[in-house]
Amino acid sequence: YPPFRAWSVWVYNGTNQTITVQLIGNRNQSGAYPDYMIGSPQSVGPGCTALLTVAVEDAATPYLGVQISASTAPTSGAVIALLYGAPG
């Protein structure tokens, strides 16, 4: 395992719509379709931040990513998502 105990995703939703954030795992680099959903999805309201954290053991896959979706397309703003290893 890596030298940290958890994966964390910090998200800032600067759009005008609520978004859903999900940590995903893939067996290959394509990332076109997630092979695994890791942890639970979390809703993040407009102008809000969120922190999702999962244990490394629950995310033991070669490639990790962050999937962001919205039920209504935002018309302004942007999303910032940072994926990092959290020390234990």
Side-chain angles (χ1 to χ4, degrees), residues 45-70:
C48 295
T49 61
L51 181 66
L52 292 76
T53 301
V54 295
V56 167
E57 294 84 8
D58 295 337
T61 182
Y63 301 96
L64 293 174
V66 179
Q67 183 178 60
I68 297 172
S69 60

Side-chain angles (χ1 to χ4, degrees), residues 4-17:
F4 45 84
R5 303 189 53 87
W7 286 106
S8 290
V9 180
W10 178 86
V11 179
Y12 169 68
N13 179 8
T15 73
N16 61 348
Q17 298 294 329

Side-chain angles (χ1 to χ4, degrees), residues 11-82:
V11 179
Y12 169 68
N13 179 8
T15 73
N16 61 348
Q17 298 294 329
T18 296
I19 60 170
T20 301
V21 180
Q22 173 73 55
L23 185 61
I24 59 171
N26 283 82
R27 292 185 199 118
N28 57 47
Q29 291 180 342
S30 76
Y33 183 78
D35 295 320
Y36 308 99
M37 299 298 190
I38 301 169
S40 299
Q42 184 169 336
S43 293
V44 184
C48 295
T49 61
L51 181 66
L52 292 76
T53 301
V54 295
V56 167
E57 294 84 8
D58 295 337
T61 182
Y63 301 96
L64 293 174
V66 179
Q67 183 178 60
I68 297 172
S69 60
S71 59
T72 302
T75 56
S76 65
V79 174
I80 300 170
L82 304 173

